[in-house]
Amino acid sequence: MERLVVDGWGRFLGVEDGQIVVKERKGKSYSVICRSLPSDLRQVVIAGKGSLSSDAIDVLAHHGVDLIFLDWRGGVSARLSPPMLRTVNTRREQYRCYDTEKGAALAKAFIRAKMKNQMAVLGTYAKTRVQADPNTAEALRVARESIERIASELESVSGTACDAVRGTIMGMEGCATGVYWNAISKIVDESFGFNHRSGRYAGDPVNALLNYGYAILEGECWRAVHYAGLDPYGGFLHVDRPGRASMVYDLIEEFRQQVVDKSTLKLLSHRQIRTENFEVVDGVCRMDDATRRLVLSELLMKMDDRVRYKDKLWRWSDLILHQAREVAKFLRGESGKYEGFWLRW
């Protein structure tokens, strides 16, 4: 067991005989439902109304185990991690490179990878619909080609600092993303009312699912950025704002489509999620607890799945950490180029 999820009301995370235990309240007593050696754990996710002891926090920190708390939207409401493992040199180079060509190159690399993954997802869904639904397949193919043209224009963008290129890059990213979600909406059942990507405070089930999935991915990227020795708030593509983990959001861009979008569309296409699993409260669409657990389980299993990248089989969570470390190596001058992650379709 490398990831332990504590989900549901009345569960308690503690320590017994050096082991991490999860107890569940039944009546007036607690019974142990899970035991694990802390050395076997990599991450603990608290997703429900659970509680934990200070002894458990000490043991998890001693073994370098990441501990995150998710709210009902899937947002990372809190995160506890061991002290920094790297030297300060990585962060010094991260700050220094913001105003250099290296910083501009990183901002461009994140979006180049995002566009290529958007193209790959559209190409995959077009290919599977050529016989059964040729009109939709053609619409997906056309959208893929539109993003390919935008990606080609991106290559002409150059600058000597992040501030010099960010506006142009984000404008292109916005165009590509609009084309992408417009095409994706054509393969989502109309009953879900999904017309466009809306971000926070979703008004429809699909955006609620995506927001929850991206938040889980954010937790994994936080962990990767931390262990790579990077400052999570020192991004290159996303502008600095108080409280915004811009470096984490930069890294997420490479993984949204292959990890979250495809997992969400899989749940919808397999009819594992229905419109009756949601309710709208004060204009915000919320999923029920069973659906939330289903999405959490699907995404966490995805993180442990293997993917072939550059002739090597990677677990997704290890690949995210690898990319964060590649960013750090590029910033420290240990590599001459950073290549964002993307898959062919």
Side-chain angles (χ1 to χ4, degrees):
M1 179 188 296
E2 293 194 346
R3 181 183 283 109
L4 174 64
V5 179
V6 181
D7 190 3
W9 185 87
R11 292 185 175 176
F12 172 78
L13 188 78
V15 179
E16 281 187 5
D17 301 326
Q19 295 181 319
I20 295 294
V21 297
V22 179
K23 296 181 178 181
E24 186 174 47
R25 185 173 183 175
K26 292 183 177 178
K28 296 183 178 180
S29 62
Y30 282 88
S31 60
V32 175
I33 59 174
C34 179
R35 287 182 180 272
S36 179
L37 291 172
S39 56
D40 290 340
L41 293 173
R42 179 170 67 83
Q43 187 179 61
V44 173
V45 179
I46 309 291
K49 296 289 185 182
S51 58
L52 74 165
S53 69
S54 58
D55 286 344
I57 294 174
D58 287 342
V59 170
L60 293 173
H62 178 74
H63 287 82
V65 182
D66 206 36
L67 175 62
I68 63 174
F69 298 80
L70 300 182
D71 63 21
W72 65 270
R73 293 183 298 268
V76 179
S77 57
R79 180 173 182 275
L80 300 175
S81 60
M84 292 296 298
L85 304 177
R86 303 283 306 195
T87 67
V88 72
N89 186 45
T90 301
R91 291 195 175 202
R92 281 185 176 155
E93 292 301 321
Q94 183 180 358
Y95 305 141
R96 190 182 67 80
C97 288
Y98 181 86
D99 290 321
T100 70
E101 290 183 357
K102 270 190 172 184
L106 273 177
K108 189 173 167 180
F110 293 131
I111 291 305
R112 178 190 295 116
K114 177 176 184 174
M115 289 182 183
K116 286 183 176 290
N117 281 314
Q118 289 173 333
M119 291 162 53
V121 170
L122 294 178
T124 298
Y125 287 121
K127 188 176 180 180
T128 58
R129 285 166 172 76
V130 168
Q131 298 297 328
D133 189 355
N135 291 334
T136 301
E138 176 63 12
L140 294 168
R141 187 191 66 77
V142 170
R144 182 188 179 282
E145 289 182 352
S146 295
I147 296 176
E148 188 171 22
R149 284 193 291 274
I150 299 171
S152 297
E153 295 171 9
L154 177 70
E155 297 307 318
S156 65
V157 178
S158 62
T160 56
C162 292
D163 289 341
V165 300
R166 179 183 292 115
T168 303
I169 291 176
M170 292 303 275
M172 291 180 174
E173 186 272 342
C175 290
T177 297
V179 171
Y180 172 75
W181 286 116
N182 182 57
I184 291 294
S185 70
K186 301 182 187 308
I187 60 174
V188 176
D189 191 287
E190 291 181 357
S191 63
F192 286 101
F194 176 66
N195 299 311
H196 64 281
R197 178 79 184 108
S198 63
R200 298 184 67 185
Y201 304 112
D204 64 89
V206 177
N207 274 301
L209 291 167
L210 291 169
N211 289 349
Y212 196 78
Y214 291 150
I216 295 169
L217 177 60
E218 179 186 334
E220 198 68 34
C221 289
W222 258 98
R223 175 180 177 275
V225 166
H226 173 77
Y227 281 104
L230 296 162
D231 182 344
Y233 297 95
F236 297 91
L237 176 66
H238 291 85
V239 68
D240 291 348
R241 284 183 188 167
R244 170 186 269 188
S246 296
M247 185 66 244
V248 176
Y249 293 142
D250 283 1
L251 186 63
I252 283 177
E253 298 294 355
E254 300 181 11
F255 296 97
R256 291 182 189 273
Q257 301 74 36
Q258 298 290 352
V259 175
V260 178
D261 297 358
K262 289 176 74 172
S263 297
T264 302
L265 292 170
K266 174 187 165 190
L267 291 172
L268 293 171
S269 65
H270 290 182
R271 300 185 182 282
Q272 291 175 269
I273 294 175
R274 300 178 181 277
T275 54
E276 52 264 35
N277 298 132
F278 300 83
E279 65 173 348
V280 177
V281 179
D282 297 329
V284 180
C285 186
R286 300 178 61 158
M287 63 187 84
D288 58 30
D289 283 346
T291 303
R292 182 180 57 77
R293 291 192 189 105
L294 174 64
V295 176
L296 179 63
S297 174
E298 181 71 23
L299 264 296
L300 295 184
M301 282 195 297
K302 178 80 173 184
M303 294 298 178
D304 290 331
D305 280 350
R306 307 277 176 169
V307 57
R308 182 167 292 282
Y309 178 61
K310 293 188 174 179
D311 297 325
K312 182 178 177 180
L313 271 181
W314 296 85
R315 192 167 50 183
W316 279 102
S317 56
D318 292 337
L319 180 57
I320 293 171
L321 177 58
H322 168 75
Q323 288 299 106
R325 285 174 171 162
E326 288 297 299
V327 171
K329 286 168 63 177
F330 176 63
L331 292 172
R332 294 194 300 267
E334 296 169 13
S335 63
K337 179 182 178 183
Y338 173 75
E339 183 177 352
F341 157 78
W342 57 279
L343 290 180
R344 296 181 185 279
W345 59 287

